[in-house]
Amino acid sequence: MSALGGHQRTTNTLSENELRVPALGKLVVFSNLVGYHHGFEITNLELTSIVEDLVGLLSFAEHRSLNFDVVLHNETLSNLWPDDEKIQYIVLVYQPSRSFLGLETALDMLPHKEVRVRIVEDDHILMDLTAGKKLSIFERNGKQHSFETARHSVKAYVHLLQKFLKDEGYPSTPSHQPIVWAEGADSYQLEQKEIEQYVLRAPVRIYRADLERALYKLLHIEIPKEQNLEGDSLVALKNFMMVLAKVNPLNRKGKMMLIAMHKWLEHKNHLTGEEFLLRVYTLELAPSLVFGGRHYVGCVPSKPFLREYPCSLWILFHYLTVEGANLSEPFQPGFVAKAIKGFIQHFFFECPSCAEEFLSIAKPLDVKSHDEEILWLWETHNEFNKRLEDDGTLDPEFPKIQFPSKASCRDCKDENEPALGKLVQFMNIFCGDCRRFVPVYKKLGVDLQKWNRVLRIYAVDCAQEVNVKPQNSKIGIKTVLDLLPYPDVAVRILDDTQLFSQFGLEPAAQKIALLDRSGKPKCVLLALFGFAKFFFGCSECAMHFQAMAKRRKIGQVKSHDEEILWLWAAHNEVNKRLAGDPTEDPKFPKKQFPQCKHCRACRCCLVFQKALKAPALGKLVQYLNIFCGHCRRFVPIYKKLAIDLQKWNRILRIFAVDCAQEDNVSVCRDFEIKSTPTLRYYHSNFVKSRHGLGTNLPIESSKKIVDLLVKHLAKNDYTGTKELKPIFAPVQKNETAKSIFGRFNSKLLYILLVFQPQNSQIGILTLLDLLPYPDVAVRILNDAQLFTQFGLKPSARNIALLDRTGKEHPLRPTEESSSAYVESVAKFLEQNKHTRIPKLPTTIAPKEVLPQGMDAIILKKVLASPPVVYQADLEQALHQLLHIEIPKAPLIKGEKFLALYRLIQLFNRFNPLNQDGRKLLFRLESHLKTIKKIKGAELANKVTEIEKSLGKVFKIFRYVGCIGSKPLMRGITCSFWTLFHHLTVMSAQNPKVFKPGFVIFALFGFAKYFFGCTECAKHFQQMAKRRNVESVRSHDEEILWLWAAHNEVNNRLAGDATEDPKFPKVQFPLRKHCPACHKKPNGWNTAEVLKYLKRIYSIKRVSFYGLPTLRRT
């Protein structure tokens, strides 16, 4: 028994063997979706049961003349009409859940070819399209005819519809369906004959129809034939489905189906073929068809039963090897070939002898690259064709030949052409120098195509094993000769790597080994050095490594730990050198490893604190939560400030730390960031344990920030700088030009003297703004009379530029301001060909960044659908709370601990997560019961510790209903609102668990003590007091209180810079989503609002769209 569409289906899947037995007393149903060799036996032969089973099975089937799809949210009356002009009427039938009322009505109306029946399952769609009428018929001009009946049955509906059609002059046409007895297929469809003629004339190409037919048959027929899937057959199936999940030609729904099938199989240890087939059917139940083609095209035969499936299967296999190699994250070389062999071995039941032949032909899988994998299948296919050349079952119009033929690929044949010249590039594809030459060589090859009659161009990759001939190598002899100057070393040559085992070494991993007299291998680094010097295929890399080894004194390594760290430091040096190189993989950039997210103890807060500790530098840091409106409004101000202050880069570093990122939680916690945005200044050699948390700066205006920075930078200690040290102290009475130049290095060419009156910062600002010019240093004079010490007259003079000889160079500033001073000096320096330090590169963000890939698909669906609660958003909210928001608190005790415990209690009781997620929150609550305080770091570690002992709690990190149309829009805050609305409804549905108001008080505690958006938290607390949160007396009032509060927030933020233009801040629910909720002109029907909220935020209505699972576990 298996559930189907709400009914208990009394059918069994019949195997091919069972169908060969005379089926006496058996009633068998075949569907075009089921396939050629499978059927369903109806075991309950009562008439009503037979009808129910037929309706259920036909709902799976592919009927082009009848649309069984339910009407979608984005469909209107105008796009319900099919292209067929014979259809004069559209019937809309309301079908309750666990019912076949609409499907049976559609089937019984089939004799009326002028009518198309569509099914409505959603109350809102019914209200929008038919004003709530459960049975309506529409004419092409839009006129609606509705029917009322006391009995909502198929018989009553069909009678009403037939009576209407008869009155309109459309009597039903009799449709007798005689029993068809299976005979041999003597005739062949004209459509397939036309396809065959087209294929015979057309050039060789791949047709999607053939790929779809191959996938259809193997999923619906071949694989389900295996009664018990376990052991090797199940492993083979998992591998094959893993490949199909990543590489397939199907439409979006088909791709999602194969991904879901792969995920479903991952945790299976045993299943039957029927279970597999039923899972396929379950995932196919959707509006659009997965498999659109009905005919083979490239694999069409000239006679029935020839080619078809075997041909399409070969094409599918070739497609998998080629497209699998083109993936951004491809499988390991050989994995696709292994999956193909596994499928043939366990599931190719159509021709067992063919499977045996394939396995006997296929070479052992020892491929080292994806290209070898592609060629492995091509060679196997050609050998298979060769063995079947004279077979009597072959199609005469499509003979078995060695492909590709010369007609389809003239350059594929390797013919002996002595009259041709050959140009060959020998390379190692992993070598940077080689890879940088590749585009040059490719362009040369393209340019020289015109010489093709006399010249052939080749490339040989010496990193491929097929291109290596060790028997011709003289590398061992060369090594003997090169090491002759070293009398302490003797070299012996091995012509077989297996001989390494005689010395206790692993043959597969060895090409060189250095042994002492006791037979023990010596330093790994020295062996590596020898490999790089004598064997490594990348000459440039080998040269760099040898130079680095000498510089880093490889011979002085004294311990194994030093050896490990030496190689780590060397690797990071290489990464630094190659960062940004054209050979760098954009998906795997050359970074210093390990990264913070992989080893927080190695980096993260320690790295940040190391940056703060840097000598001779001030640091300006903005701490923010990117979802916080106040922070987002401050971001452009801070960005502009950072760009303006680039000129101070010699003595100031500018940072931004997003506390909403999990990697930064420890930083924000350790520096006690209690509100955001927070701006702090850190002086040179800052150490948190000695100097506290840094100096807070106000964020009211950029000018105030700059003024305070100037004061801090003027007091900073610049000892230890490798660059020109700025001197903010004023010139003393005993200083001269010579003594001032003496305080700087010998490369300094000019000194600018600036008079700074009392209570002015003109000298300091001029000094800071001229930092990009290393050829000039600024000294400040507090007294204009001091100009006389440099042989200058003080009258009407505020600045003077002197060279090393004491000579003055005239400047003509346009006004008495630091910017005018800097401009005049810069103009002089540029005229005399003195260059400034280049500006740091600034990446300009695009004006509009649109979602891509799956996010774009999700956004389109969400915009077209009415409000729905998505599981992905609930999971994102809980993940953010447990991993980021709450653990940011340094210490949680007292009222704060009580607020934490309330939240965890609430999440545990009404937990929307999977089984492992429920265990996580149960164990966390149990732990909190035993303590009275906890540090944020301890809480984070506890959550991580529990998660490691469980399966995957959070399936995917993606917003669905809370997705933004632009980066950084909606997301976190939207998911928090969604979660707490859901919790108020859950609490109302389970009124004995918590008292009314518990959810709101838990939310109030979260906002007060843990929410990262300070402005949001402040507004929420004020609103809670103003709206008298303590007055809530029932669960229904609690639901409505949060709804009214949410609408107040929406009203306050409508039109704000943080608002998503695609999801404006409106009063919800909208009239189109809940007409009954609105009173004219602008009032609310709270009773209807309550019903609406309870319906959409109910756990039963939560959608798993966008997740790799379709249901709650």
Side-chain angles (χ1 to χ4, degrees), residues 993-1023:
V993 178
F994 294 118
K995 292 180 180 180
F998 186 90
V999 178
I1000 297 177
F1001 276 106
L1003 173 57
F1004 183 86
F1006 163 68
K1008 184 176 181 180
Y1009 296 113
F1010 301 110
F1011 194 27
C1013 177
T1014 312
E1015 184 187 41
C1016 310
K1018 177 183 173 184
H1019 280 297
F1020 185 85
Q1021 292 174 72
Q1022 291 172 349
M1023 179 178 63

Side-chain angles (χ1 to χ4, degrees), residues 895-1006:
E895 283 285 331
K896 190 180 287 190
F897 184 84
L898 183 59
L900 168 63
Y901 188 68
R902 277 202 195 110
L903 282 170
I904 302 303
Q905 259 190 314
L906 182 62
F907 299 154
N908 184 29
R909 296 301 186 278
F910 303 131
N911 191 336
L913 301 178
N914 59 17
Q915 188 174 356
D916 289 311
R918 291 193 282 275
K919 290 178 182 176
L920 164 65
L921 286 164
F922 174 78
R923 294 179 190 176
L924 189 57
E925 183 186 345
S926 301
H927 174 69
L928 293 177
K929 276 182 182 177
T930 63
I931 58 177
K932 293 184 178 180
K933 62 180 180 179
I934 189 171
K935 292 180 178 178
E938 293 172 347
L939 180 66
N941 292 337
K942 189 65 182 178
V943 171
T944 304
E945 176 192 325
I946 298 172
E947 281 185 337
K948 284 181 178 178
S949 66
L950 302 170
K952 195 169 185 180
V953 175
F954 300 99
K955 290 176 281 296
I956 197 166
F957 297 105
R958 168 188 290 149
Y959 293 103
V960 178
C962 289
I963 192 171
S965 64
K966 295 180 179 180
L968 310 179
M969 293 286 186
R970 304 180 79 224
I972 295 173
T973 48
C974 166
S975 70
F976 285 165
W977 278 116
T978 303
L979 174 65
F980 282 99
H981 280 299
H982 168 73
L983 292 173
T984 59
V985 171
M986 290 299 296
S987 184
Q989 291 175 351
N990 302 271
K992 294 183 180 179
V993 178
F994 294 118
K995 292 180 180 180
F998 186 90
V999 178
I1000 297 177
F1001 276 106
L1003 173 57
F1004 183 86
F1006 163 68

Side-chain angles (χ1 to χ4, degrees), residues 450-470:
K450 54 197 172 190
W451 299 359
N452 192 51
R453 287 175 54 191
V454 296
L455 179 70
R456 290 289 183 269
I457 300 177
Y458 303 89
V460 178
D461 182 6
C462 298
Q464 301 297 324
E465 193 169 358
V466 294
N467 297 330
V468 179
K469 295 187 177 179

Side-chain angles (χ1 to χ4, degrees), residues 623 657-659 664-673 888:
Y623 298 91
V657 177
D658 182 6
C659 297
N664 297 330
V665 168
S666 60
V667 173
C668 298
R669 182 174 57 238
D670 290 351
F671 282 88
E672 298 182 20
I673 303 304
K888 279 191 289 196

Side-chain angles (χ1 to χ4, degrees), residues 779-798:
R779 291 302 308 274
I780 301 168
L781 285 73
N782 286 344
D783 183 354
Q785 295 300 318
L786 293 176
F787 279 110
T788 58
Q789 297 177 201
F790 303 92
L792 304 172
K793 294 181 180 180
S795 59
R797 178 187 298 279
N798 287 326

Side-chain angles (χ1 to χ4, degrees), residues 764-785:
I764 297 174
L765 287 172
T766 305
L767 185 156
L768 292 169
D769 290 351
L770 281 173
L771 286 173
Y773 296 90
D775 293 335
V776 62
V778 177
R779 291 302 308 274
I780 301 168
L781 285 73
N782 286 344
D783 183 354
Q785 295 300 318

Side-chain angles (χ1 to χ4, degrees), residues 491 777 809:
V491 179
H809 297 271

